[in-house]
Amino acid sequence: ADLCYTLCSYAIKYDGQSSLLSTQSFDSTRKQQLESSLTQLFVDETKTKLPDSCSHSDALDPVAYAIPTFQMPNSFLGRPFQFQSDKDASRDLLLAAVESDQDMSVRLSSAYLNLTPRLRSVLTMFGNKRGVGAPYVLTAGAMSHGFAPKKQTKSMQNNVGIVDKIKSSIPEAFLTLVKEASQSIIACGGKVLLYERPGWTFHAKGVWITANDEDSSRRELIRDPTSVVSTIIGSGNYGARSEVLDVESNCVIVFNEHSKSEPIQQSVANDWNNMCEHSTVTEDLENRDDVNNLSTIVVQFMKKFL
Protein backbone atom coordinates (compact mmCIF):
# COMPACT_ATOMS: atom_id res chain seq x y z
CA ALA A 1 0.00 0.00 0.00
CA ASP A 2 2.84 2.39 0.84
CA LEU A 3 4.46 1.70 -2.52
CA CYS A 4 1.23 2.41 -4.42
CA TYR A 5 0.75 5.64 -2.46
CA THR A 6 4.32 6.77 -3.18
CA LEU A 7 4.11 6.06 -6.91
CA CYS A 8 0.69 7.67 -7.22
CA SER A 9 1.86 10.80 -5.41
CA TYR A 10 4.41 11.34 -8.21
CA ALA A 11 2.17 10.21 -11.06
CA ILE A 12 1.20 12.57 -13.86
CA LYS A 13 -2.49 12.72 -14.71
CA TYR A 14 -2.99 11.91 -18.36
CA ASP A 15 -4.84 14.71 -20.10
CA GLY A 16 -5.29 12.97 -23.44
CA GLN A 17 -2.76 15.24 -25.09
CA SER A 18 0.81 14.73 -26.25
CA SER A 19 2.02 16.81 -23.30
CA LEU A 20 2.35 13.59 -21.33
CA LEU A 21 5.29 12.64 -23.51
CA SER A 22 7.10 15.92 -22.89
CA THR A 23 10.46 15.62 -21.15
CA GLN A 24 9.41 18.53 -18.96
CA SER A 25 6.54 16.53 -17.50
CA PHE A 26 8.96 14.59 -15.29
CA ASP A 27 12.15 16.61 -14.88
CA SER A 28 15.34 15.45 -13.17
CA THR A 29 14.43 17.08 -9.84
CA ARG A 30 11.13 15.23 -9.67
CA LYS A 31 12.85 11.97 -10.59
CA GLN A 32 15.38 12.41 -7.78
CA GLN A 33 12.58 13.19 -5.35
CA LEU A 34 10.87 9.97 -6.35
CA GLU A 35 14.11 8.07 -5.85
CA SER A 36 14.49 9.61 -2.39
CA SER A 37 10.94 8.63 -1.40
CA LEU A 38 11.41 5.07 -2.67
CA THR A 39 14.76 4.78 -0.90
CA GLN A 40 13.12 5.81 2.36
CA LEU A 41 10.44 3.20 1.80
CA PHE A 42 12.78 0.31 1.00
CA VAL A 43 15.89 1.17 3.04
CA ASP A 44 14.74 3.17 6.07
CA GLU A 45 15.11 0.78 9.03
CA THR A 46 12.57 2.74 11.07
CA LYS A 47 9.90 1.47 8.66
CA THR A 48 10.93 -2.17 9.11
CA LYS A 49 8.51 -4.09 11.31
CA LEU A 50 10.49 -6.54 13.41
CA PRO A 51 8.93 -9.08 15.79
CA ASP A 52 9.97 -7.14 18.92
CA SER A 53 7.95 -4.13 17.79
CA CYS A 54 4.73 -6.12 17.41
CA SER A 55 2.14 -6.63 20.14
CA HIS A 56 0.68 -9.87 18.77
CA SER A 57 1.15 -12.93 20.98
CA ASP A 58 2.91 -14.78 18.15
CA ALA A 59 5.17 -11.83 17.33
CA LEU A 60 8.30 -13.60 18.50
CA ASP A 61 7.53 -16.59 16.29
CA PRO A 62 6.40 -15.23 12.90
CA VAL A 63 5.37 -17.75 10.26
CA ALA A 64 7.47 -15.96 7.63
CA TYR A 65 9.49 -12.87 6.80
CA ALA A 66 8.40 -10.67 3.88
CA ILE A 67 10.96 -8.63 1.95
CA PRO A 68 9.46 -6.26 -0.67
CA THR A 69 11.55 -5.49 -3.76
CA PHE A 70 11.35 -2.88 -6.50
CA GLN A 71 13.17 -1.80 -9.61
CA MET A 72 12.98 0.95 -12.20
CA PRO A 73 14.76 0.82 -15.58
CA ASN A 74 18.23 2.41 -15.47
CA SER A 75 17.10 4.66 -18.30
CA PHE A 76 14.78 6.50 -15.89
CA LEU A 77 17.68 8.17 -14.05
CA GLY A 78 20.50 7.20 -16.37
CA ARG A 79 21.84 4.99 -13.57
CA PRO A 80 20.58 2.36 -11.07
CA PHE A 81 18.58 3.43 -8.03
CA GLN A 82 20.46 3.76 -4.74
CA PHE A 83 19.07 0.55 -3.29
CA GLN A 84 19.13 -3.08 -4.35
CA SER A 85 17.02 -3.82 -7.42
CA ASP A 86 14.45 -6.58 -7.62
CA LYS A 87 16.51 -8.60 -10.10
CA ASP A 88 19.59 -8.48 -7.82
CA ALA A 89 17.56 -9.38 -4.72
CA SER A 90 16.03 -12.37 -6.54
CA ARG A 91 19.41 -13.53 -7.80
CA ASP A 92 20.97 -13.18 -4.32
CA LEU A 93 18.19 -15.36 -2.89
CA LEU A 94 18.89 -18.05 -5.50
CA LEU A 95 22.63 -17.89 -4.84
CA ALA A 96 22.03 -18.21 -1.09
CA ALA A 97 19.97 -21.34 -1.76
CA VAL A 98 22.73 -22.79 -3.95
CA GLU A 99 25.33 -22.18 -1.24
CA SER A 100 23.14 -23.64 1.51
CA ASP A 101 24.18 -26.82 3.29
CA GLN A 102 20.77 -28.24 2.48
CA ASP A 103 19.95 -29.83 -0.86
CA MET A 104 17.93 -27.05 -2.45
CA SER A 105 15.85 -27.12 -5.63
CA VAL A 106 14.28 -24.19 -7.43
CA ARG A 107 11.04 -23.97 -9.40
CA LEU A 108 10.40 -20.98 -11.63
CA SER A 109 7.29 -20.01 -13.56
CA SER A 110 7.33 -17.46 -16.38
CA ALA A 111 4.52 -16.68 -18.81
CA TYR A 112 7.00 -15.69 -21.51
CA LEU A 113 10.11 -17.80 -21.03
CA ASN A 114 13.09 -15.71 -22.12
CA LEU A 115 15.80 -16.54 -19.59
CA THR A 116 18.70 -14.10 -19.62
CA PRO A 117 22.21 -15.62 -19.44
CA ARG A 118 22.54 -14.05 -15.97
CA LEU A 119 19.47 -15.85 -14.65
CA ARG A 120 20.09 -19.09 -16.52
CA SER A 121 23.58 -19.35 -15.05
CA VAL A 122 22.32 -19.32 -11.46
CA LEU A 123 19.43 -21.71 -12.21
CA THR A 124 21.81 -24.31 -13.59
CA MET A 125 23.97 -24.05 -10.47
CA PHE A 126 21.33 -26.04 -8.58
CA GLY A 127 21.73 -29.22 -10.62
CA ASN A 128 25.49 -28.82 -10.99
CA LYS A 129 26.22 -28.44 -7.28
CA ARG A 130 27.38 -31.87 -6.06
CA GLY A 131 24.75 -33.45 -8.28
CA VAL A 132 21.89 -32.59 -5.88
CA GLY A 133 18.85 -30.39 -6.28
CA ALA A 134 17.58 -29.28 -9.65
CA PRO A 135 15.88 -26.42 -11.48
CA TYR A 136 12.32 -26.86 -12.76
CA VAL A 137 10.93 -24.26 -15.16
CA LEU A 138 7.28 -23.88 -16.17
CA THR A 139 5.99 -21.75 -19.04
CA ALA A 140 3.10 -21.45 -21.49
CA GLY A 141 2.63 -23.95 -24.30
CA ALA A 142 1.24 -22.88 -27.69
CA MET A 143 -2.37 -23.66 -26.72
CA SER A 144 -2.36 -21.50 -23.57
CA HIS A 145 0.08 -18.84 -24.70
CA GLY A 146 -0.89 -15.19 -24.27
CA PHE A 147 -0.20 -14.64 -27.98
CA ALA A 148 -2.02 -17.77 -29.16
CA PRO A 149 -3.85 -16.87 -32.41
CA LYS A 150 -7.62 -16.54 -32.18
CA LYS A 151 -9.89 -18.70 -34.30
CA GLN A 152 -10.64 -17.06 -37.63
CA THR A 153 -13.30 -17.49 -40.27
CA LYS A 154 -12.27 -18.52 -43.78
CA SER A 155 -12.70 -14.97 -45.09
CA MET A 156 -10.50 -13.62 -42.29
CA GLN A 157 -7.79 -16.16 -43.12
CA ASN A 158 -7.73 -14.90 -46.71
CA ASN A 159 -7.05 -11.34 -45.54
CA VAL A 160 -4.19 -11.87 -43.12
CA GLY A 161 -1.72 -8.97 -43.04
CA ILE A 162 1.92 -8.90 -42.00
CA VAL A 163 1.05 -7.79 -38.44
CA ASP A 164 -1.29 -10.76 -38.00
CA LYS A 165 1.36 -13.11 -39.37
CA ILE A 166 3.93 -11.77 -36.91
CA LYS A 167 1.53 -12.12 -33.98
CA SER A 168 0.61 -15.67 -34.94
CA SER A 169 4.30 -16.63 -35.14
CA ILE A 170 5.05 -15.51 -31.57
CA PRO A 171 3.99 -18.75 -29.80
CA GLU A 172 6.16 -20.77 -32.21
CA ALA A 173 9.05 -18.36 -31.65
CA PHE A 174 8.71 -18.73 -27.89
CA LEU A 175 8.94 -22.51 -28.26
CA THR A 176 12.34 -21.88 -29.84
CA LEU A 177 13.39 -19.97 -26.72
CA VAL A 178 12.00 -22.80 -24.59
CA LYS A 179 14.09 -25.28 -26.56
CA GLU A 180 17.21 -23.20 -25.94
CA ALA A 181 16.48 -23.05 -22.20
CA SER A 182 15.73 -26.77 -22.08
CA GLN A 183 19.21 -27.70 -23.24
CA SER A 184 20.94 -26.22 -20.18
CA ILE A 185 18.15 -26.98 -17.69
CA ILE A 186 17.84 -30.65 -18.67
CA ALA A 187 21.62 -31.05 -18.79
CA CYS A 188 21.82 -30.35 -15.04
CA GLY A 189 19.02 -32.74 -14.10
CA GLY A 190 16.08 -30.33 -14.27
CA LYS A 191 12.93 -30.15 -16.34
CA VAL A 192 11.14 -27.58 -18.49
CA LEU A 193 7.36 -27.93 -18.62
CA LEU A 194 4.71 -26.47 -20.94
CA TYR A 195 1.30 -25.50 -19.55
CA GLU A 196 -1.44 -26.62 -21.97
CA ARG A 197 -5.07 -26.31 -20.94
CA PRO A 198 -7.97 -25.80 -23.39
CA GLY A 199 -9.66 -22.45 -22.90
CA TRP A 200 -7.03 -21.18 -20.46
CA THR A 201 -4.28 -18.57 -20.92
CA PHE A 202 -1.16 -19.04 -18.81
CA HIS A 203 0.31 -15.93 -17.20
CA ALA A 204 1.70 -17.21 -13.90
CA LYS A 205 5.06 -16.04 -12.61
CA GLY A 206 6.92 -16.84 -9.42
CA VAL A 207 9.72 -18.75 -7.69
CA TRP A 208 9.51 -21.68 -5.26
CA ILE A 209 12.61 -22.84 -3.36
CA THR A 210 12.50 -26.19 -1.56
CA ALA A 211 14.90 -28.17 0.63
CA ASN A 212 15.55 -31.91 0.65
CA ASP A 213 13.02 -32.85 -2.04
CA GLU A 214 11.75 -36.41 -2.05
CA ASP A 215 12.95 -38.58 -4.92
CA SER A 216 9.93 -39.57 -7.00
CA SER A 217 8.89 -40.28 -10.56
CA ARG A 218 7.60 -36.71 -10.88
CA ARG A 219 10.40 -34.79 -9.26
CA GLU A 220 8.99 -31.47 -10.42
CA LEU A 221 6.12 -31.76 -7.91
CA ILE A 222 6.42 -30.49 -4.33
CA ARG A 223 5.48 -33.61 -2.36
CA ASP A 224 6.17 -32.22 1.12
CA PRO A 225 4.81 -28.69 1.68
CA THR A 226 7.09 -28.18 4.67
CA SER A 227 10.04 -28.41 2.26
CA VAL A 228 9.14 -24.95 0.89
CA VAL A 229 11.64 -22.56 2.44
CA SER A 230 11.00 -19.49 0.28
CA THR A 231 8.87 -18.14 -2.53
CA ILE A 232 8.71 -14.98 -4.64
CA ILE A 233 5.41 -13.44 -5.70
CA GLY A 234 4.84 -10.30 -7.73
CA SER A 235 5.06 -8.81 -11.19
CA GLY A 236 8.45 -10.02 -12.46
CA ASN A 237 8.44 -12.21 -15.60
CA TYR A 238 12.10 -13.30 -15.27
CA GLY A 239 13.02 -12.32 -18.81
CA ALA A 240 15.02 -9.69 -20.68
CA ARG A 241 12.23 -7.09 -20.75
CA SER A 242 11.48 -7.63 -17.07
CA GLU A 243 15.14 -7.16 -16.12
CA VAL A 244 15.94 -4.16 -18.32
CA LEU A 245 12.85 -2.27 -19.50
CA ASP A 246 10.00 -2.73 -17.00
CA VAL A 247 9.07 -1.40 -13.59
CA GLU A 248 8.76 -4.44 -11.33
CA SER A 249 7.88 -5.12 -7.71
CA ASN A 250 7.99 -8.48 -5.98
CA CYS A 251 7.82 -9.81 -2.45
CA VAL A 252 10.28 -12.41 -1.20
CA ILE A 253 8.70 -14.69 1.43
CA VAL A 254 11.09 -16.67 3.66
CA PHE A 255 9.37 -19.16 5.94
CA ASN A 256 10.37 -19.53 9.59
CA GLU A 257 11.19 -23.19 10.09
CA HIS A 258 10.48 -22.89 13.82
CA SER A 259 6.91 -21.62 13.40
CA LYS A 260 3.57 -23.15 12.46
CA SER A 261 3.64 -22.15 8.82
CA GLU A 262 2.58 -25.45 7.21
CA PRO A 263 -0.91 -24.25 6.09
CA ILE A 264 0.66 -21.38 4.16
CA GLN A 265 3.42 -23.61 2.78
CA GLN A 266 0.74 -26.07 1.66
CA SER A 267 -1.07 -23.32 -0.22
CA VAL A 268 2.17 -22.18 -1.87
CA ALA A 269 3.03 -25.77 -2.86
CA ASN A 270 -0.49 -26.31 -4.24
CA ASP A 271 -0.13 -23.30 -6.55
CA TRP A 272 2.85 -24.95 -8.22
CA ASN A 273 1.51 -28.51 -8.21
CA ASN A 274 -1.85 -27.50 -9.70
CA MET A 275 -0.09 -25.86 -12.65
CA CYS A 276 2.03 -28.96 -13.18
CA GLU A 277 -1.12 -31.10 -13.47
CA HIS A 278 -1.85 -29.37 -16.77
CA SER A 279 1.73 -29.40 -18.04
CA THR A 280 3.93 -31.71 -20.09
CA VAL A 281 7.69 -32.12 -20.10
CA THR A 282 9.47 -30.62 -23.12
CA GLU A 283 11.77 -33.53 -23.93
CA ASP A 284 10.23 -33.87 -27.39
CA LEU A 285 11.34 -30.35 -28.35
CA GLU A 286 14.74 -31.72 -29.27
CA ASN A 287 13.17 -33.41 -32.29
CA ARG A 288 11.27 -30.41 -33.59
CA ASP A 289 12.00 -29.06 -37.06
CA ASP A 290 13.57 -25.63 -37.37
CA VAL A 291 11.12 -22.75 -37.29
CA ASN A 292 10.34 -20.69 -40.38
CA ASN A 293 12.19 -17.51 -41.36
CA LEU A 294 9.56 -15.18 -39.88
CA SER A 295 9.69 -16.92 -36.51
CA THR A 296 13.48 -16.70 -36.56
CA ILE A 297 13.25 -12.93 -36.95
CA VAL A 298 10.66 -12.71 -34.17
CA VAL A 299 12.93 -14.72 -31.85
CA GLN A 300 15.73 -12.18 -32.21
CA PHE A 301 13.32 -9.36 -31.41
CA MET A 302 11.88 -11.16 -28.37
CA LYS A 303 15.29 -11.84 -26.84
CA LYS A 304 15.67 -8.10 -26.25
CA PHE A 305 12.15 -6.86 -25.70
CA LEU A 306 10.10 -9.68 -24.11
Side-chain angles (χ1 to χ4, degrees):
D2 289 341
L3 174 60
C4 290
Y5 175 80
T6 299
L7 294 176
C8 288
S9 65
Y10 286 91
I12 300 171
K13 186 176 180 180
Y14 180 51
D15 59 6
Q17 305 298 321
S18 59
S19 59
L20 182 66
L21 304 177
S22 171
T23 56
Q24 297 179 355
S25 299
F26 218 96
D27 58 27
S28 59
T29 300
R30 190 173 177 83
K31 289 180 179 181
Q32 291 173 4
Q33 290 172 343
L34 173 58
E35 179 188 30
S36 177
S37 296
L38 289 171
T39 301
Q40 275 192 323
L41 184 62
F42 284 93
V43 180
D44 189 353
E45 294 183 358
T46 63
K47 296 183 180 295
T48 302
K49 295 182 179 179
L50 297 174
D52 290 341
S53 66
C54 301
S55 58
H56 195 278
S57 59
D58 293 331
L60 297 179
D61 194 21
V63 296
Y65 301 94
I67 304 99
T69 65
F70 180 82
Q71 76 181 38
M72 190 83 80
N74 290 349
S75 58
F76 183 73
L77 287 175
R79 58 171 174 78
F81 271 34
Q82 295 181 0
F83 56 88
Q84 189 179 47
S85 68
D86 169 73
K87 65 180 180 182
D88 289 338
S90 299
R91 190 171 190 272
D92 285 350
L93 176 70
L94 294 175
L95 288 173
V98 169
E99 296 168 0
S100 170
D101 292 334
Q102 295 178 291
D103 299 341
M104 299 284 191
S105 291
V106 61
R107 293 162 175 82
L108 182 146
S109 175
S110 174
Y112 308 120
L113 187 65
N114 183 17
L115 299 178
T116 61
R118 188 170 182 268
L119 178 56
R120 188 182 306 184
S121 66
V122 69
L123 288 177
T124 54
M125 289 181 188
F126 283 85
N128 289 327
K129 181 195 173 190
R130 303 191 309 276
V132 297
Y136 304 99
V137 178
L138 177 64
T139 191
M143 178 191 300
S144 297
H145 200 281
F147 286 94
K150 304 296 186 291
K151 290 185 178 180
Q152 296 179 329
T153 63
K154 193 168 184 179
S155 61
M156 292 172 64
Q157 292 174 355
N158 294 332
N159 294 282
V160 175
I162 184 62
V163 174
D164 293 320
K165 290 182 179 179
I166 291 174
K167 288 174 63 177
S168 64
S169 69
I170 290 179
E172 179 70 21
F174 262 109
L175 287 180
T176 301
L177 296 180
V178 172
K179 180 178 179 179
E180 291 180 5
S182 296
Q183 294 173 353
S184 55
I185 297 297
I186 294 175
C188 62
K191 293 183 179 181
V192 177
L193 303 103
L194 295 177
Y195 184 93
E196 298 267 65
R197 191 175 183 183
W200 287 64
T201 297
F202 182 83
H203 204 270
K205 68 282 293 272
V207 171
W208 295 253
I209 297 177
T210 58
N212 304 314
D213 285 345
E214 295 181 5
D215 187 15
S216 66
S217 58
R218 296 191 62 187
R219 293 176 291 114
E220 69 273 14
L221 297 178
I222 302 175
R223 299 291 186 182
D224 178 11
T226 62
S227 69
V228 180
V229 297
S230 183
T231 187
I232 302 177
I233 57 176
S235 66
N237 272 311
Y238 307 103
R241 181 184 180 90
S242 190
E243 283 197 8
V244 179
L245 300 176
D246 288 347
V247 175
E248 302 288 9
S249 182
N250 287 327
C251 187
V252 177
I253 306 294
V254 180
F255 292 102
N256 181 1
E257 62 180 341
H258 302 297
S259 71
K260 300 176 182 179
S261 57
E262 185 172 352
I264 302 176
Q265 290 171 298
Q266 180 70 69
S267 178
V268 170
N270 287 346
D271 285 342
W272 171 266
N273 290 339
N274 289 340
M275 292 188 295
C276 288
E277 291 303 318
H278 300 279
S279 303
T280 55
V281 181
T282 60
E283 294 171 337
D284 59 330
L285 287 177
E286 294 300 318
N287 299 319
R288 292 176 66 248
D289 295 331
D290 291 336
V291 295
N292 58 48
N293 292 336
L294 180 56
S295 293
T296 301
I297 295 173
V298 173
V299 166
Q300 298 308 312
F301 172 83
M302 291 193 308
K303 283 185 176 181
K304 295 183 179 180
F305 298 104
L306 290 176

Short mmCIF file of all heavy atoms in Angstrom, two decimals, residues 3 7 34 38 42 69-76 81 86-87 205 234-237 240-250:
data_model
loop_
_atom_site.label_atom_id
_atom_site.label_comp_id
_atom_site.label_asym_id
_atom_site.label_seq_id
_atom_site.Cartn_x
_atom_site.Cartn_y
_atom_site.Cartn_z
N LEU A 3 3.85 1.56 -1.21
CA LEU A 3 4.46 1.70 -2.52
C LEU A 3 3.48 2.32 -3.51
O LEU A 3 3.84 3.24 -4.26
CB LEU A 3 4.94 0.34 -3.04
CG LEU A 3 5.49 0.32 -4.47
CD1 LEU A 3 6.69 1.25 -4.61
CD2 LEU A 3 5.88 -1.11 -4.87
N LEU A 7 4.10 5.93 -5.45
CA LEU A 7 4.11 6.06 -6.91
C LEU A 7 2.99 6.97 -7.41
O LEU A 7 3.19 7.80 -8.30
CB LEU A 7 3.99 4.68 -7.56
CG LEU A 7 5.17 3.73 -7.34
CD1 LEU A 7 4.88 2.36 -7.95
CD2 LEU A 7 6.46 4.29 -7.92
N LEU A 34 11.48 11.30 -6.36
CA LEU A 34 10.87 9.97 -6.35
C LEU A 34 11.85 8.93 -5.84
O LEU A 34 11.51 8.08 -5.02
CB LEU A 34 10.38 9.60 -7.75
CG LEU A 34 9.87 8.16 -7.94
CD1 LEU A 34 8.71 7.87 -6.99
CD2 LEU A 34 9.45 7.91 -9.38
N LEU A 38 11.34 6.53 -2.57
CA LEU A 38 11.41 5.07 -2.67
C LEU A 38 12.54 4.51 -1.81
O LEU A 38 12.40 3.44 -1.20
CB LEU A 38 11.61 4.66 -4.13
CG LEU A 38 10.41 4.86 -5.06
CD1 LEU A 38 10.80 4.62 -6.51
CD2 LEU A 38 9.26 3.94 -4.67
N PHE A 42 12.16 1.63 1.07
CA PHE A 42 12.78 0.31 1.00
C PHE A 42 14.04 0.15 1.84
O PHE A 42 14.48 -0.97 2.08
CB PHE A 42 13.11 -0.03 -0.47
CG PHE A 42 11.91 -0.41 -1.28
CD1 PHE A 42 11.21 0.54 -2.01
CD2 PHE A 42 11.44 -1.71 -1.29
CE1 PHE A 42 10.09 0.20 -2.75
CE2 PHE A 42 10.32 -2.06 -2.02
CZ PHE A 42 9.64 -1.10 -2.75
N THR A 69 10.50 -5.92 -2.83
CA THR A 69 11.55 -5.49 -3.76
C THR A 69 10.94 -4.59 -4.83
O THR A 69 9.73 -4.61 -5.07
CB THR A 69 12.23 -6.69 -4.43
OG1 THR A 69 11.27 -7.36 -5.28
CG2 THR A 69 12.78 -7.66 -3.40
N PHE A 70 11.82 -3.82 -5.48
CA PHE A 70 11.35 -2.88 -6.50
C PHE A 70 12.49 -2.57 -7.44
O PHE A 70 13.67 -2.60 -7.05
CB PHE A 70 10.88 -1.58 -5.83
CG PHE A 70 10.36 -0.54 -6.79
CD1 PHE A 70 9.06 -0.60 -7.27
CD2 PHE A 70 11.18 0.50 -7.23
CE1 PHE A 70 8.58 0.35 -8.15
CE2 PHE A 70 10.71 1.45 -8.11
CZ PHE A 70 9.40 1.39 -8.58
N GLN A 71 12.15 -2.28 -8.68
CA GLN A 71 13.17 -1.80 -9.61
C GLN A 71 12.55 -0.93 -10.69
O GLN A 71 11.39 -1.10 -11.07
CB GLN A 71 13.94 -2.95 -10.24
CG GLN A 71 13.22 -3.70 -11.33
CD GLN A 71 14.06 -4.85 -11.87
OE1 GLN A 71 14.77 -5.52 -11.14
NE2 GLN A 71 13.97 -5.08 -13.16
N MET A 72 13.34 0.03 -11.11
CA MET A 72 12.98 0.95 -12.20
C MET A 72 14.06 0.81 -13.26
O MET A 72 15.23 0.61 -12.93
CB MET A 72 12.93 2.38 -11.67
CG MET A 72 12.34 3.39 -12.64
SD MET A 72 10.55 3.43 -12.61
CE MET A 72 10.23 4.42 -11.14
N PRO A 73 13.72 0.91 -14.54
CA PRO A 73 14.76 0.82 -15.58
C PRO A 73 15.86 1.86 -15.35
O PRO A 73 15.58 2.99 -14.93
CB PRO A 73 13.99 1.11 -16.87
CG PRO A 73 12.57 0.76 -16.56
CD PRO A 73 12.37 1.09 -15.11
N ASN A 74 17.11 1.47 -15.62
CA ASN A 74 18.23 2.41 -15.47
C ASN A 74 18.06 3.65 -16.33
O ASN A 74 18.60 4.72 -16.02
CB ASN A 74 19.55 1.72 -15.81
CG ASN A 74 19.95 0.69 -14.77
OD1 ASN A 74 19.35 0.62 -13.69
ND2 ASN A 74 20.94 -0.12 -15.09
N SER A 75 17.29 3.52 -17.41
CA SER A 75 17.10 4.66 -18.30
C SER A 75 16.31 5.79 -17.64
O SER A 75 16.35 6.94 -18.09
CB SER A 75 16.36 4.21 -19.58
OG SER A 75 15.11 3.61 -19.25
N PHE A 76 15.60 5.48 -16.55
CA PHE A 76 14.78 6.50 -15.89
C PHE A 76 15.66 7.60 -15.31
O PHE A 76 15.38 8.79 -15.45
CB PHE A 76 13.95 5.84 -14.79
CG PHE A 76 13.01 6.81 -14.08
CD1 PHE A 76 11.87 7.28 -14.70
CD2 PHE A 76 13.28 7.22 -12.78
CE1 PHE A 76 11.02 8.16 -14.06
CE2 PHE A 76 12.42 8.10 -12.13
CZ PHE A 76 11.28 8.56 -12.77
N PHE A 81 19.02 2.79 -9.26
CA PHE A 81 18.58 3.43 -8.03
C PHE A 81 19.58 3.14 -6.91
O PHE A 81 20.39 2.21 -7.01
CB PHE A 81 17.19 2.90 -7.62
CG PHE A 81 16.06 3.68 -8.21
CD1 PHE A 81 16.16 4.24 -9.47
CD2 PHE A 81 14.88 3.86 -7.51
CE1 PHE A 81 15.11 4.97 -10.02
CE2 PHE A 81 13.82 4.58 -8.06
CZ PHE A 81 13.94 5.14 -9.31
N ASP A 86 15.18 -5.32 -7.74
CA ASP A 86 14.45 -6.58 -7.62
C ASP A 86 15.23 -7.74 -8.24
O ASP A 86 15.34 -8.81 -7.66
CB ASP A 86 13.09 -6.46 -8.30
CG ASP A 86 12.39 -7.79 -8.45
OD1 ASP A 86 11.91 -8.31 -7.44
OD2 ASP A 86 12.33 -8.32 -9.57
N LYS A 87 15.80 -7.52 -9.43
CA LYS A 87 16.51 -8.60 -10.10
C LYS A 87 17.73 -9.06 -9.30
O LYS A 87 18.05 -10.25 -9.25
CB LYS A 87 16.92 -8.20 -11.52
CG LYS A 87 17.93 -7.07 -11.60
CD LYS A 87 18.27 -6.73 -13.05
CE LYS A 87 19.28 -5.58 -13.12
NZ LYS A 87 19.59 -5.23 -14.53
N LYS A 205 3.63 -16.27 -12.81
CA LYS A 205 5.06 -16.04 -12.61
C LYS A 205 5.38 -16.16 -11.13
O LYS A 205 4.54 -15.82 -10.28
CB LYS A 205 5.48 -14.67 -13.18
CG LYS A 205 4.95 -13.42 -12.48
CD LYS A 205 3.53 -13.09 -12.83
CE LYS A 205 3.36 -12.68 -14.28
NZ LYS A 205 3.58 -11.22 -14.46
N GLY A 234 4.82 -11.68 -7.26
CA GLY A 234 4.84 -10.30 -7.73
C GLY A 234 4.72 -10.20 -9.24
O GLY A 234 4.16 -11.08 -9.90
N SER A 235 5.28 -9.14 -9.79
CA SER A 235 5.06 -8.81 -11.19
C SER A 235 6.14 -9.31 -12.13
O SER A 235 5.94 -9.36 -13.34
CB SER A 235 4.96 -7.28 -11.35
OG SER A 235 6.20 -6.66 -11.04
N GLY A 236 7.31 -9.67 -11.61
CA GLY A 236 8.45 -10.02 -12.46
C GLY A 236 8.18 -11.21 -13.36
O GLY A 236 7.62 -12.22 -12.93
N ASN A 237 8.60 -11.12 -14.63
CA ASN A 237 8.44 -12.21 -15.60
C ASN A 237 9.72 -13.00 -15.81
O ASN A 237 9.74 -13.95 -16.59
CB ASN A 237 7.95 -11.67 -16.94
CG ASN A 237 6.44 -11.58 -17.01
OD1 ASN A 237 5.74 -12.53 -16.68
ND2 ASN A 237 5.93 -10.43 -17.41
N ALA A 240 14.21 -10.86 -20.32
CA ALA A 240 15.02 -9.69 -20.68
C ALA A 240 14.26 -8.39 -20.46
O ALA A 240 14.79 -7.43 -19.89
CB ALA A 240 15.47 -9.81 -22.14
N ARG A 241 13.01 -8.32 -20.91
CA ARG A 241 12.23 -7.09 -20.75
C ARG A 241 12.04 -6.78 -19.27
O ARG A 241 12.15 -5.63 -18.83
CB ARG A 241 10.89 -7.23 -21.45
CG ARG A 241 10.04 -5.97 -21.34
CD ARG A 241 8.66 -6.13 -21.97
NE ARG A 241 7.90 -4.91 -21.83
CZ ARG A 241 7.89 -3.92 -22.72
NH1 ARG A 241 8.61 -4.03 -23.82
NH2 ARG A 241 7.19 -2.82 -22.52
N SER A 242 11.73 -7.82 -18.50
CA SER A 242 11.48 -7.63 -17.07
C SER A 242 12.72 -7.10 -16.36
O SER A 242 12.63 -6.28 -15.45
CB SER A 242 11.04 -8.96 -16.45
OG SER A 242 10.57 -8.77 -15.14
N GLU A 243 13.90 -7.56 -16.77
CA GLU A 243 15.14 -7.16 -16.12
C GLU A 243 15.60 -5.77 -16.53
O GLU A 243 16.22 -5.05 -15.75
CB GLU A 243 16.26 -8.16 -16.43
CG GLU A 243 16.18 -9.44 -15.63
CD GLU A 243 17.50 -10.21 -15.66
OE1 GLU A 243 18.50 -9.66 -16.18
OE2 GLU A 243 17.53 -11.35 -15.17
N VAL A 244 15.32 -5.37 -17.77
CA VAL A 244 15.94 -4.16 -18.32
C VAL A 244 14.96 -3.02 -18.54
O VAL A 244 15.28 -1.85 -18.29
CB VAL A 244 16.66 -4.49 -19.64
CG1 VAL A 244 17.30 -3.24 -20.23
CG2 VAL A 244 17.71 -5.57 -19.43
N LEU A 245 13.75 -3.32 -19.02
CA LEU A 245 12.85 -2.27 -19.50
C LEU A 245 11.67 -1.96 -18.58
O LEU A 245 11.13 -0.86 -18.65
CB LEU A 245 12.30 -2.66 -20.88
CG LEU A 245 13.34 -2.86 -22.00
CD1 LEU A 245 12.65 -3.33 -23.27
CD2 LEU A 245 14.10 -1.56 -22.26
N ASP A 246 11.25 -2.90 -17.74
CA ASP A 246 10.00 -2.73 -17.00
C ASP A 246 10.21 -2.27 -15.56
O ASP A 246 11.26 -2.50 -14.96
CB ASP A 246 9.23 -4.05 -16.97
CG ASP A 246 8.61 -4.40 -18.31
OD1 ASP A 246 8.58 -3.50 -19.18
OD2 ASP A 246 8.18 -5.55 -18.50
N VAL A 247 9.16 -1.64 -15.03
CA VAL A 247 9.07 -1.40 -13.59
C VAL A 247 8.51 -2.67 -12.96
O VAL A 247 7.49 -3.19 -13.41
CB VAL A 247 8.13 -0.21 -13.28
CG1 VAL A 247 7.96 -0.04 -11.78
CG2 VAL A 247 8.68 1.07 -13.90
N GLU A 248 9.19 -3.20 -11.96
CA GLU A 248 8.76 -4.44 -11.33
C GLU A 248 8.76 -4.31 -9.81
O GLU A 248 9.56 -3.56 -9.24
CB GLU A 248 9.69 -5.61 -11.73
CG GLU A 248 9.80 -5.87 -13.22
CD GLU A 248 8.56 -6.50 -13.83
OE1 GLU A 248 7.52 -6.57 -13.15
OE2 GLU A 248 8.62 -6.91 -15.00
N SER A 249 7.89 -5.05 -9.17
CA SER A 249 7.88 -5.12 -7.71
C SER A 249 7.46 -6.52 -7.29
O SER A 249 6.41 -7.00 -7.71
CB SER A 249 6.94 -4.08 -7.11
OG SER A 249 6.97 -4.12 -5.70
N ASN A 250 8.28 -7.15 -6.49
CA ASN A 250 7.99 -8.48 -5.98
C ASN A 250 8.03 -8.49 -4.46
O ASN A 250 8.41 -7.49 -3.84
CB ASN A 250 9.01 -9.50 -6.51
CG ASN A 250 8.80 -9.83 -7.97
OD1 ASN A 250 7.68 -9.85 -8.47
ND2 ASN A 250 9.88 -10.09 -8.69
#
